[in-house]
Amino acid sequence: MKILVGVKRVVDYAVKIRIMPDRSGVFTEGVQHSMNPFDEIALEEAVKLKEKKLATEVVAFSLGGPKSAEVLRTALAKGADKAIHVQVSDAEAGKLESFHVAKTLQKIVEQEKFDAVFLGKQAIDDDSSQTAPILAGLLDWPQALYASKVEDGGSGHMKVTREIDGGLDTVKVKVPFVLSADLRLNEPRYATLPNIMKAKKKPLKNIPITELGIDISPQTQTIEVTEPPVRQAGGFVEDVSALVAKLKEKGFVKA
Amino acid sequence: MLSARTLLTRTARLSNARLNSTLVIAEHDDTKLAPITLNAITAAGKLGSDVSVLVTGANATKVAEQVAKVNGVKRVIVAQDEKLKNNLPERVAPVVVASQKQFNFTAITAGSSAFGRGIIPRVAAKLDVSSISDVTEVHSADSFTRTMYAGNAVKKVKSTAPIKLLTFRGTSFEPAKEGGSGAVEKAPAADIATDASEFLGQELSKSERPDLATAKVVVSGGRGLKSGDNFKLIYDLADKLGAGVGASRAAVDAGYVPNDMQVGQTGKIVAPELYIAIGISGAIQHLAGMKDSKVIVAINKDPDAPIFQVADIGLKADLFKAVPELTAALK
């Protein structure tokens, strides 16, 4: 099984973001970026499957501006064999929709014949959670979203346990398939210094998006990006009886 | 009499021609409709068009009867088929596409649950349009608001897609009430392939308490609880208040409680009347899941915990002392 893993370069999860004064978006320049945490988990699972001999090759993919190469190097250091960077300008990258990412992935899958695509369940910048099911639809492959456990399902199938609203469910999907990784699928490894050095020698292929003939014209225009309403801290109460009195006052507790 | 009826039919036909139509894909467990579908029906109504609901499944007819009685639902389309048991997205999508071919909806929508987020983008791919997820506000038939960056940025967008494919955040829309009388009809036949995926089973967390996502009061525990056994303090308080129980990611990762109790950016988004956060520091990712609650109460021994910056009522105290005291005081 040849696995393609999508990784996205996003503003680091610990950064407190700032909205641009002209309301056109969020400040990203000079801000700490890193690999989307869910993509790290997807990558780790693919590498683990390779270690278990269930996968033959793990290829990391990123669609984005020039700096996306950094997250691909990280992916190589964490165990990917090769990397593919589909390049757009930073300006174009800011306007990409999940739909465009999925179309690009579809093209790469068809060109290089992958058997599975692993993605994070959502990117922590746009919080869309769409790329995996769109890609599955485009390829007409089964989808296993929000995976928390991946096992060999026998005779060309994989068994995937998924995190759903009321608990867990388990599905069996036929390979080829698309998977999205949830938080608790695994604990991603750190890239060690020797592996970071080795990663520099691993192949990283650059493909300008224009070569793939994909239409990235937007179907969604941003009108404005604003701050959420700010909540005012209400202050402290002295003790439990004061808290109970407040709750009574607000009608949550019968007087 | 006759002329009145003719007039009525004509008006109906006219309004059909004039109005756009929105499809809501129903979520259910074979016996009852999932509450988030009621929120989605309200949201769909705001698109300014007739609302149709598609019910798929092995036992869809029974659920369709419930849906037909929901206020605002004009038409219920039913696809009952053993192949649709458990509503796998690979099998539901062809039914949605076949329905779209027949009825030409201007929007296809669902609640933003694990089910809705699985089916809407897949259908979007089949119809070659871009979808928009987790909409929190509908401004018009083509402009919506959603949040990004764990709720720290609010984005208003205009969609130019020929068909709008949307999921709606449940807590942002009131549930639709009873009082409708929608017409029920059969869905067009679809080619449902069954070889690609198979449902093996599920393990649902059983609880007598109200559903977390729709509870009026939620009591949540975090790392401060120190163990799964200590979560009993949270359950006891919740039972006193008739509350749902949530948790922070830290509590879930530490194994105190199951994953489906997680409140936050990557867990559930709740907006109850009252949210009580106990032993939760208030990381950005947790706040993303609860900061739209009407009243927030925080109990934490660290006065600098970020949770106190959003709390309406803060109590700086040791939870192991304060929570039993609070539970006792509510007797």
Side-chain angles (χ1 to χ4, degrees):
Chain A
M1 192 162 69
K2 214 174 129 182
I3 307 176
L4 183 66
V5 183
V7 295
K8 183 178 186 182
R9 179 178 179 267
V10 296
V11 171
D12 191 88
Y13 75 94
V15 169
K16 180 147 179 33
I17 57 135
R18 286 187 306 135
I19 311 284
M20 295 204 196
D22 69 357
R23 298 184 163 192
S24 64
V26 168
F27 274 109
T28 54
E29 235 167 283
V31 174
Q32 171 72 37
H33 281 66
S34 50
M35 190 190 295
N36 179 43
F38 294 102
D39 302 347
E40 288 192 64
I41 298 169
L43 173 67
E44 176 67 26
E45 198 63 21
V47 173
K48 276 197 171 138
L49 289 178
K50 196 187 159 193
E51 287 164 353
K52 286 186 212 159
K53 311 277 181 220
L54 285 167
T56 51
E57 190 179 37
V58 176
V59 179
F61 160 98
S62 197
L63 168 61
K67 286 184 178 158
S68 292
E70 294 165 11
V71 296
L72 287 171
R73 284 289 168 209
T74 307
L76 292 168
K78 285 170 179 269
D81 301 297
K82 293 196 282 195
I84 299 171
H85 181 190
V86 176
Q87 296 169 314
V88 290
S89 69
D90 283 328
E92 285 170 327
K95 292 202 173 82
L96 288 173
E97 293 158 23
S98 309
F99 186 59
H100 305 128
V101 184
K103 286 209 155 181
T104 310
L105 279 159
Q106 177 193 18
K107 203 80 169 191
I108 299 293
V109 165
E110 284 166 357
Q111 281 182 358
E112 311 218 359
K113 305 279 174 256
F114 286 93
D115 307 298
V117 181
F118 285 17
L119 303 166
K121 78 160 173 177
Q122 78 194 62
I124 60 163
D125 52 1
D126 66 24
D127 283 337
S128 279
S129 194
Q130 300 189 127
T131 307
I134 297 174
L135 177 64
L138 291 172
L139 292 164
D140 210 13
W141 287 3
Q143 63 193 47
L145 305 184
Y146 315 128
S148 65
K149 195 173 176 189
V150 180
E151 299 159 279
D152 188 2
S155 57
H157 289 77
M158 295 299 283
K159 197 170 126 184
V160 180
T161 303
R162 311 185 320 120
E163 292 193 15
I164 55 166
D165 295 320
L168 300 168
D169 75 8
T170 308
V171 292
K172 197 165 101 173
V173 290
K174 193 176 173 186
V175 179
F177 73 112
V178 176
L179 175 139
S180 83
D182 213 322
L183 264 184
R184 279 157 286 265
L185 179 57
N186 59 48
E187 194 71 50
R189 70 193 67 186
Y190 288 98
T192 60
L193 188 60
N195 284 340
I196 293 169
M197 299 312 287
K198 275 183 215 155
K200 291 186 176 162
K201 297 201 181 84
K202 287 186 179 177
L204 194 162
K205 184 154 92 181
N206 291 309
I207 308 172
I209 195 157
T210 44
E211 267 180 30
L212 295 174
I214 291 159
D215 179 12
I216 54 166
S217 51
Q219 289 190 16
T220 310
Q221 295 160 4
T222 300
I223 299 171
E224 59 173 11
V225 176
T226 52
E227 302 248 5
V230 182
R231 283 191 83 104
Q232 294 295 326
F236 290 94
V237 289
E238 270 306 307
D239 51 22
V240 170
S241 56
L243 171 59
V244 174
K246 282 259 191 185
L247 290 177
K248 278 183 185 160
E249 195 184 297
K250 292 186 187 283
F252 292 117
V253 176
K254 279 186 210 112
Chain B
M1 188 65 193
L2 188 71
S3 68
R5 192 192 291 162
T6 324
L7 196 66
L8 209 66
T9 337
R10 192 172 299 156
T11 322
R13 202 180 297 140
L14 270 176
S15 65
N16 255 340
R18 192 187 59 221
L19 280 172
N20 298 324
S21 184
T22 296
L23 181 70
V24 177
I25 305 172
E27 178 175 356
H28 63 89
D29 65 359
D30 262 1
T31 55
K32 61 179 197 308
L33 196 63
I36 195 167
T37 304
L38 295 173
N39 306 98
I41 289 169
T42 299
K46 292 182 191 285
L47 293 166
S49 55
D50 274 356
V51 175
S52 301
V53 179
L54 172 67
V55 186
T56 58
N59 209 354
T61 310
K62 199 174 153 193
V63 179
E65 285 165 18
Q66 298 172 30
V67 178
K69 293 189 192 119
V70 176
N71 197 20
V73 175
K74 285 274 158 62
R75 182 201 280 140
V76 183
I77 306 164
V78 188
Q80 175 152 324
D81 192 328
E82 260 317 298
K83 289 178 186 169
L84 293 168
K85 194 168 186 331
N86 303 113
N87 280 324
L88 287 167
E90 297 82 1
R91 304 184 190 190
V92 174
V95 180
V96 181
V97 173
S99 305
Q100 171 61 16
K101 275 203 184 116
Q102 178 165 337
F103 298 106
N104 270 314
F105 299 107
T106 42
I108 303 177
T109 68
S112 185
S113 58
F115 168 79
R117 284 175 171 227
I119 185 71
I120 291 292
R122 190 173 179 101
V123 171
K126 296 285 177 208
L127 301 174
D128 198 35
V129 294
S130 208
S131 48
I132 298 173
S133 63
D134 214 13
V135 167
T136 56
E137 211 179 327
V138 173
H139 303 285
S140 68
D142 64 1
S143 64
F144 319 104
T145 289
R146 60 182 304 275
T147 67
M148 308 157 53
Y149 289 95
N152 289 297
V154 180
K155 187 175 180 175
K156 191 173 170 186
V157 297
K158 184 180 161 72
S159 167
T160 55
I163 309 163
K164 315 302 178 205
L165 273 284
L166 313 166
T167 59
F168 297 116
R169 180 177 295 183
T171 57
S172 300
F173 302 92
E174 290 292 319
K177 299 214 161 49
E178 282 217 344
S181 52
V184 179
E185 58 186 286
K186 270 178 97 171
D191 188 14
I192 305 167
T194 56
D195 61 331
S197 59
E198 189 187 329
F199 183 86
L200 295 182
Q202 62 186 11
E203 207 180 302
L204 300 181
S205 309
K206 286 210 177 73
S207 167
E208 302 292 307
R209 295 183 186 89
D211 177 53
L212 181 54
T214 49
K216 292 233 179 316
V217 180
V218 171
V219 182
S220 279
R223 199 200 308 269
L225 266 298
K226 295 201 175 94
S227 79
D229 290 342
N230 290 339
F231 245 77
K232 186 173 184 305
L233 295 174
I234 304 288
Y235 295 131
D236 289 347
L237 175 59
D239 291 343
K240 268 296 164 52
L241 292 161
V245 177
S248 69
R249 180 183 164 186
V252 172
D253 282 353
Y256 303 168
V257 292
N259 307 342
D260 57 306
M261 281 170 60
Q262 185 184 324
V263 171
Q265 182 186 21
T266 64
K268 290 206 172 60
I269 296 185
V270 302
E273 303 283 324
L274 174 64
Y275 187 88
I276 306 182
I278 297 168
I280 292 175
S281 66
I284 298 174
Q285 290 77 11
H286 185 76
L287 299 182
M290 46 65 81
K291 68 179 175 189
D292 289 332
S293 305
K294 289 249 170 57
V295 173
I296 298 173
V297 173
I299 302 176
N300 204 303
K301 62 182 175 190
D302 174 10
D304 297 323
I307 191 79
F308 286 125
Q309 291 163 21
V310 299
D312 300 281
I313 310 170
L315 175 63
K316 179 198 167 281
D318 179 358
L319 72 91
F320 294 104
K321 198 170 153 286
V323 175
E325 234 180 273
L326 178 57
T327 308
L330 297 178
K331 262 181 188 151

